Amino acid sequence: MKRRTRKFIGTIAILAFGIFYALLVMAFAHSRVPEWPSAAQLAFYIVFGMGWILPILPLIRWMEKRGAGEE
């Protein structure tokens, strides 16, 4: 598979994952987090705000991988 095709597929997957992840976290945050102390809320938003990066890293590596015959 050419890199251009992998980047297209990966971009669509990242967008879909981002939308799903954001909706899931927002639903949880809206229902539970307002009751928590301020420090716990801050920790939640830091962890889950950065939490989408780790699941996406393998996909980004796959997108950037050189295919057979590419320079």
Side-chain angles (χ1 to χ4, degrees):
M1 183 180 302
K2 292 187 177 192
R3 186 185 301 183
R4 184 174 177 160
T5 306
R6 282 194 308 270
K7 284 188 176 187
F8 177 72
I9 293 169
T11 300
I12 300 299
I14 288 171
L15 288 172
F17 176 78
I19 291 169
F20 175 75
Y21 182 82
L23 291 173
L24 189 68
V25 171
M26 283 188 296
F28 182 77
H30 181 69
S31 66
R32 307 272 187 211
V33 176
E35 305 160 358
W36 297 357
S38 295
Q41 289 182 22
L42 178 64
F44 172 84
Y45 287 116
I46 289 172
V47 169
F48 284 93
M50 300 297 289
W52 64 273
I53 296 171
L54 290 176
I56 294 296
L57 285 177
L59 180 60
I60 293 172
R61 285 190 198 110
W62 174 77
M63 289 167 58
E64 292 298 321
K65 184 174 66 171
R66 291 186 182 264
E70 292 183 30
E71 292 182 19

